[in-house]
Amino acid sequence: MLVLLGVLVVVAGFATRRNPLLVVGAAGIVTGLLGGLSPREVLAAFGTGFAGSRAVTVFAITLPVIGLLERHGLQEQARNLITRFSGLTTGRFLALYLLLRQITAALGLGGVFGHAQTVRPLAAPMAEGAARGRHALTDKAREKVRSYAASADNVGFFFGEDVFLAVGSILLITGFVNTTYHTHLEPLDLALWAIPTALCALAVHGWRLLRLDRTLERALPGAPRSTPADEVAK
């Protein structure tokens, strides 16, 4: 039972808003020591976990590349590009992004899009560019557009990945159910049942994204339109 004190370390760390990496690391150390491991064994466990999950550290390469591209005007070019498509509103663009995110996640391509590599440098600036082509955005409206861009990625990935047979959650569920209840549940069974849920999520959140255009119209009535030349000047 003492090893469960590691959970209390996590709860206390997050409740006091400490650095998540330090909180999880401290909880792992506390759990290992209370579980009877020596400091060397705890360190070895951290090393084994790190070596076995190297994909988690890909951000160390991704973020500098994105930062370099942004420094050379990636976001500005994304905004200017989207303003050339007069019929592509903010809601329509984000609904299209939601569809693409869900399709790629259903095909097992979860790393194709994402917050770090797509939403922040491309999707959010393009959504802002589509809005700026029709409104003079306030800070509150700009944050709202960015939050909807992030939500399109979250919903698309969350409900799309369960359609993929080899996703970790599907394998975990089938393994647990088959072992515990001695059944023969197949990953394909869960994936097929995930399709209606994914379609419902696409319809509901897609409708919410399309409503964003009317929300901006009501929040920013009669706002002057900005031109690509104004965006370049900014």
Side-chain angles (χ1 to χ4, degrees), residues 34 50 58 67 90 95 145 155 173 182 188 202:
L34 292 178
F50 180 83
V58 172
T90 302
V145 171
V155 174
I173 293 172
H182 307 287
L188 180 60
L202 177 64

Side-chain angles (χ1 to χ4, degrees), residues 155-204:
V155 174
F157 179 70
F158 184 84
F159 289 96
E161 67 171 349
D162 287 339
V163 181
F164 183 56
L165 296 177
V167 72
S169 59
I170 295 290
L171 299 179
L172 176 62
I173 293 172
T174 54
F176 176 79
V177 171
N178 291 338
T179 302
T180 305
Y181 300 102
H182 307 287
T183 61
H184 298 283
L185 184 64
E186 296 293 335
L188 180 60
D189 299 329
L190 291 179
L192 291 177
W193 278 104
I195 293 177
T197 306
L199 293 177
C200 289
L202 177 64
V204 172

Side-chain angles (χ1 to χ4, degrees), residues 1 4 10 15 32 41 49 57-58 63 82 87 101 116 120 124 126 128 130 143 147 168 172 191 205:
M1 294 295 293
L4 295 179
V10 174
E41 290 173 331
T57 61
V58 172
L63 293 184
I82 203 67
R101 181 57 162 152
R120 185 185 187 280
M126 294 179 79
E128 289 182 43
E143 292 300 324
S147 66
L172 176 62
H205 197 59

